[in-house]
Amino acid sequence: MLKLTDVPTEQVSAITDLVLAVLALFIFLYFIRPEFKSGWKRNCWICFFGVMFIVGLLGSVIHGFQIAGPERIFMWHVLFFSLGLFLVSFTLAIIGDLAGERISRKLLPYIFLIGLIFYFIAVSRIDGFIVFVGYQALVMIPVVIGYTWMGFRGRLPGAWYMVVGGLISLLAVVLQVRTALEFTFVWTFNHNSLYHLVQTIGVLFFFAGIRKSLRASI
């Protein structure tokens, strides 16, 4: 029988992970509505938010319950594989916006291979999640630069929301790598829970940008 953790920082991390998962689920359900035309871009984002829901749910369980032995190892493997798919769908969606759908489709097998490489590297390290955070930091740089350029050129509705989302995600990365960070304000927050909270705000901006660009194509 699963037992809830009694570590305050882990309890808060579990709650904030769950908040991120619920948000991702609502956005997933929003974009699968028939009012949005089916297409490569929409499908990439639907996959992204669907996987985000799974990742957030798994993270909430890992943080929130006392799980040891093979079960915990198995859950981390599933989480890292899901994070690989998370990165693949996000990267393909961004490439589709910045370079075009044809190039995004063409790069699918190579981006998927990168996702698999990420998985194998992550499961081979004790601090495997930091590999994900490093990839996130790298991919957010072209996100900020690319969408800024598209915003100035007026080439994509919602581009500036994407820029803000990218900047907030970079801030989340900075908080995540500051592993000694911890403070108490009603609850006890550490680098994990702060990462989740800041990333949640970033996701809201990404949602606004994606929604605006998809609505422009209706």
Side-chain angles (χ1 to χ4, degrees), residues 13-173:
S13 292
I15 293 170
T16 52
D17 237 337
L18 188 59
V19 169
L20 195 54
V22 171
L23 175 62
L25 178 60
F26 275 110
I27 296 175
F28 172 84
L29 294 174
Y30 182 85
F31 282 136
I32 63 173
R33 296 189 306 172
E35 69 178 86
F36 295 102
K37 291 191 300 185
S38 181
W40 178 256
K41 175 175 178 171
R42 175 181 178 245
N43 292 340
C44 285
W45 285 120
I46 286 174
C47 180
F48 171 73
F49 288 109
V51 176
M52 182 187 290
F53 167 69
I54 295 172
V55 167
L57 207 57
L58 283 170
S60 182
V61 172
I62 290 172
H63 283 296
F65 292 90
Q66 296 179 18
I67 306 171
E71 292 81 8
R72 187 174 182 83
I73 294 174
F74 173 75
M75 291 197 71
W76 274 110
H77 275 257
V78 176
L79 177 64
F80 284 134
F81 185 78
S82 299
L83 283 173
L85 295 177
F86 179 88
L87 296 174
V88 168
S89 54
F90 182 81
T91 304
L92 289 173
I94 297 302
I95 292 174
D97 271 347
L98 301 183
E101 179 181 325
R102 184 180 65 83
I103 293 178
S104 181
R105 286 179 177 273
K106 190 174 182 179
L107 291 177
L108 171 60
Y110 306 103
I111 302 299
F112 185 76
L113 178 60
I114 292 174
L116 285 178
I117 292 172
F118 157 79
Y119 164 74
F120 286 113
I121 292 176
V123 297
S124 67
R125 296 173 58 95
I126 296 176
D127 57 345
F129 189 74
I130 202 67
V131 180
F132 166 77
V133 173
Y135 184 98
Q136 180 182 346
L138 286 175
V139 78
M140 287 305 161
I141 295 172
V143 165
V144 171
I145 296 173
Y147 283 105
T148 296
W149 178 76
M150 297 191 84
F152 276 121
R153 296 290 297 273
R155 294 188 57 181
L156 182 72
W160 290 113
Y161 286 110
M162 303 298 284
V163 172
V164 176
L167 290 172
I168 293 174
S169 291
L170 284 172
L171 173 60
V173 168

